[in-house]
Amino acid sequence: MPLKISARGQGTRGNASAARRERAGRKLDLSKRLVSLDDVPLIDDWLPEFDVGERHDVAVPLEPELALELALGTPAAPDRFVRALISARGMVARDETIEGFFAAHRFVVLDRSSTEWVAGAVGAVWRPRGGLVRLDDAEAWRAANVPGTIRGAVDFRAEAIPGGSRLTTETRVKAMDERARRRFRLYWL
């Protein structure tokens, strides 16, 4: 079965909560459909408002739990090109899985379920080696407000669709101040 791949970019100054409320307002008819909290991505609990975001998804012929497990277990640097990019940034853990790679680079797991995984980091990612702040846990991430940095969250989730799952990865970034916002936008080009 061929895989269908699509990518969707979220514009700047995203507000997931407002967009979700708008969609819910158009579709909500309690006589026909109950709205489930499972329809709301976990990343919305951690970074609902953001300056920059990006989302990619792919349909896979797997159950959601297995799709997420395999995605997080995928090598972070599966080929020479990606290894070279990671090396150029001075990053380590090139031989790790995606999940291990994030952990090795000061990301903390913010939330996890059988079909979704959210991690976050705080730092000046435009600096060599990422300039990431050491955080102990998810609450430290939520409380961090370091001038000149960004707060970033990455989400991997798998949702059941006919014939398998839709595997989605989403990245969101919120700058702590205007200076960090300008520097991050130059970096994110």
Side-chain angles (χ1 to χ4, degrees):
M1 169 186 284
L3 297 179
K4 179 182 173 192
I5 300 175
S6 67
R8 295 182 197 102
Q10 170 72 36
T12 60
R13 297 281 184 190
N15 186 327
S17 296
R20 189 173 68 249
R21 283 191 302 272
E22 181 181 329
R23 285 191 309 271
R26 287 194 311 258
K27 296 179 183 179
L28 186 60
D29 180 351
L30 294 178
S31 66
K32 296 179 182 175
R33 179 177 185 259
L34 291 177
V35 176
S36 166
L37 290 178
D38 293 335
D39 294 339
V40 179
L42 293 175
I43 196 170
D44 282 354
D45 293 337
W46 294 93
L47 201 56
E49 295 183 16
F50 48 97
D51 296 313
V52 178
E54 190 167 304
R55 180 177 41 192
H56 304 275
D57 59 31
V58 61
V60 295
L62 302 167
E63 293 297 316
E65 295 82 3
L66 181 58
L68 180 64
E69 180 183 333
L70 292 174
L72 293 175
T74 299
D79 57 49
R80 291 188 321 195
F81 180 71
V82 174
R83 289 180 70 80
L85 289 175
I86 290 171
S87 293
R89 291 280 298 135
M91 301 172 98
V92 297
R94 292 178 295 276
D95 297 323
E96 288 287 341
T97 63
I98 288 175
E99 187 172 13
F101 181 82
F102 280 108
H105 291 98
R106 296 189 176 171
F107 278 72
V108 295
V109 175
L110 302 176
D111 214 335
R112 185 177 196 140
S113 73
S114 62
T115 59
E116 193 164 1
W117 180 85
V118 184
V122 172
V125 295
W126 50 89
R127 292 184 186 151
R129 297 189 181 270
L132 296 179
V133 175
R134 186 175 307 278
L135 301 169
D136 292 329
D137 57 25
E139 290 310 313
W141 180 89
R142 193 182 297 275
N145 188 6
V146 181
T149 67
I150 57 94
R151 179 180 294 141
V154 61
D155 172 80
F156 286 81
R157 64 184 171 271
E159 303 169 271
I161 60 171
S165 303
R166 174 149 326 278
L167 183 62
T168 303
T169 180
E170 185 171 0
T171 302
R172 295 179 183 178
V173 174
K174 176 76 174 170
M176 296 295 100
D177 53 35
E178 189 57 39
R179 179 173 156 240
R181 186 174 294 108
R182 282 192 308 271
R183 288 187 174 188
F184 181 78
R185 285 203 175 132
L186 287 172
Y187 166 81
W188 193 255
L189 293 176

